[in-house]
Amino acid sequence: MKKRRSLLSLILTISLVFTGCGGKQTTSHPSSTANNSPKNQPTSVPEDKSPIPGPELPLANAISLGNNIIELEPDLFAVRYNGNYGFDNFLAQGGATSDREVVQYLTENLIGNLGLDFLGNFFGCSTITADGPYGGILFGRNFDWNTCEAMIVEAHPENGYASLSTVNMDFITIGTGGMMGTALKLDQVRTLAALYAPLDGMNEKGLAVSVNMIQDNATISQSTGKPGITTTTAVRLLLDKAATVEEALELLCQYDLHASMGLMVHFALADSTGHSVVVEYIENEIHVVGTPVVTNFYLTPGEKYGVGTSQSHARYEILTNLLAENPTLTQEGVRDALSSVSKGNFGEFESTEWSIVFDLTAKTALYYRRENYNDSWLFALR
């Protein structure tokens, strides 16, 4: 198969239901909706180059992860974490209103216990949810960025759902050096930092979450007196605590969101029932829209609708047409959909750093790296 490329911050979602914190409901274009281990070994191994024809994946090939970080290929790592990583305490002490407060919490409560100092910034692009041909729900995700180091984290918390998530490790190491640079060479420190900085993921209940950016000068900084969360800790919250889209929306309404790195984002959510939505924040108010396709512009009706990149409108049309012609998609079909809108198709200097096909029913994930859609890594949540 000829290698295709992928695009910036597109999310294609298919949804059935949606609600906002204030009871607002918005409908948009009904359509079809769309385990793992790390290095002692993560739960993945390079897969067969041929497409997977049926609903059953060869789980014997799934990567089996250990508690040490393993390198799957250049700039792609994976790790498994079992036990308490302090997230309940993080929420109980009020969460955080900035990336720096997240780092401060990690330093004082987790990494500091190792006798190390930790300073730095966290942050974060394309998703499609589709009905599978065998009754399952598939969720595809492209992350488009400059060349970066990525890590897949398999988390098994003491008080929460097991999950797979993906982290751009460059967001953790931006502008760091000295002791920070030394500390991040330790697997335990890198893993703890990554647990608080996911950009997408799927949990054992079949909930998928993705952060997608919108090109807008506005940001998100709610101030209603609720505990605070940042973009990435919101993803961790939903993966750890929400089994469905409805539960995810209820959780988001209980916190004030503060955008990591000041970037405007929206969240794509989908669950194993086929319910999928996009969550947007406009003038610090939450809006939930059910839609089959989302790229990098606002879908909430009103003054902001359509604000975003011109390319994101082109991608929106490509994916809308694809779903109209294909009411169901196989895993290979979702992979090809991600490939068809990858960055290389648009002559961009960025690349699609990773693409994922989550099976929200079987709880498996196929990871593709840097637009190489001939090879994948298979993870299975167990």
Side-chain angles (χ1 to χ4, degrees):
M1 178 181 74
K2 185 177 179 180
K3 179 177 176 184
R4 302 191 205 125
R5 314 204 164 222
S6 242
L7 71 117
L8 167 76
S9 223
L10 130 98
I11 113 180
L12 167 57
T13 56
I14 292 138
S15 75
L16 304 176
V17 218
F18 34 81
T19 44
C21 298
K24 295 175 180 135
Q25 300 188 2
T26 307
T27 317
S28 171
H29 320 297
S31 180
S32 69
T33 323
N35 285 95
N36 31 4
S37 311
K39 206 178 174 176
N40 249 348
Q41 323 249 78
T43 329
S44 350
V45 292
E47 274 208 287
D48 200 304
K49 295 187 178 180
S50 56
I52 297 168
E56 296 299 325
L57 289 172
L59 296 186
N61 292 337
I63 290 186
S64 188
L65 296 173
N67 294 324
N68 298 318
I69 295 172
I70 63 170
E71 186 171 11
L72 303 177
E73 59 183 84
D75 292 334
L76 179 64
F77 300 84
V79 69
R80 177 187 178 112
Y81 190 95
N82 294 295
N84 182 10
Y85 40 84
F87 196 70
D88 285 336
N89 290 336
F90 169 78
L91 296 175
Q93 55 93 50
T97 61
S98 68
D99 300 324
R100 180 159 289 278
E101 288 185 10
V102 177
V103 173
Q104 182 178 350
Y105 172 80
L106 284 171
T107 301
E108 294 176 355
N109 296 277
L110 298 173
I111 295 170
N113 294 336
L114 304 176
L116 298 170
D117 243 348
F118 188 85
L119 292 174
N121 292 309
F122 289 151
F123 170 2
C125 288
S126 275
T127 70
I128 171 171
T129 310
D131 290 321
Y134 304 96
I137 302 298
L138 303 176
F139 183 91
R141 149 72 153 176
N142 276 350
F143 178 76
D144 304 312
W145 199 257
N146 297 322
T147 299
C148 67
E149 181 181 295
M151 187 151 76
I152 301 162
V153 179
E154 180 183 335
H156 293 264
E158 291 178 352
N159 184 29
Y161 300 127
S163 67
L164 280 172
S165 61
T166 330
V167 180
N168 178 349
M169 296 303 289
D170 288 2
F171 289 158
I172 294 175
T173 58
I174 287 173
T176 61
M179 180 62 78
M180 167 65 172
T182 302
L184 282 175
K185 292 179 181 177
L186 301 178
D187 281 8
Q188 188 172 355
V189 175
R190 286 166 63 82
T191 302
L192 285 169
L195 283 161
Y196 283 73
L199 297 175
D200 51 49
M202 172 188 67
N203 69 19
E204 65 178 286
K205 294 297 182 180
L207 179 79
V209 184
S210 172
V211 175
N212 296 345
M213 286 173 285
I214 300 177
Q215 191 175 85
D216 188 7
N217 290 329
T219 188
I220 306 166
S221 186
Q222 294 181 302
S223 182
T224 68
K226 299 174 185 175
I229 50 173
T230 61
T231 302
T232 61
T233 55
V235 176
R236 174 52 58 201
L237 171 71
L238 301 185
L239 291 175
D240 281 13
K241 306 296 185 184
T244 65
V245 167
E246 287 297 343
E247 289 184 13
L249 296 176
E250 289 172 10
L251 277 171
L252 288 175
C253 289
Q254 294 172 25
Y255 293 86
D256 283 341
L257 181 67
H258 303 270
S260 294
M261 294 176 68
L263 297 173
M264 177 53 73
V265 299
H266 50 190
F267 296 98
L269 306 176
D271 62 32
S272 60
T273 70
H275 184 187
S276 64
V277 302
V278 62
V279 180
E280 299 181 336
Y281 292 79
I282 299 174
E283 296 182 354
N284 291 321
E285 281 193 23
I286 189 170
H287 298 263
V288 182
V289 179
T291 176
V293 178
V294 183
T295 54
N296 300 107
F297 61 87
Y298 292 97
L299 284 175
T300 299
E303 188 176 328
K304 285 278 191 176
Y305 179 83
V307 171
T309 64
S310 58
Q311 185 195 97
S312 69
H313 286 263
R315 289 184 270 117
Y316 179 91
E317 184 176 352
I318 291 169
L319 292 172
T320 299
N321 291 339
L322 183 151
L323 280 184
E325 295 171 2
N326 302 276
T328 63
L329 292 173
T330 62
Q331 290 166 325
E332 182 187 8
V334 173
R335 176 202 66 190
D336 290 346
L338 296 174
S339 174
S340 73
V341 292
S342 63
K343 293 301 287 182
N345 293 294
F346 299 89
E348 297 277 339
F349 63 88
E350 301 102 331
S351 72
T352 296
E353 284 296 285
W354 66 78
S355 299
I356 318 167
V357 180
F358 289 126
D359 186 324
L360 304 186
T361 308
K363 315 305 186 304
T364 60
L366 289 168
Y367 276 84
Y368 300 88
R369 182 64 166 154
R370 290 180 178 160
E371 305 178 48
N372 175 9
Y373 294 104
N374 290 319
D375 297 295
S376 62
W377 295 90
L378 169 63
F379 288 75
L381 264 179
R382 309 181 181 141

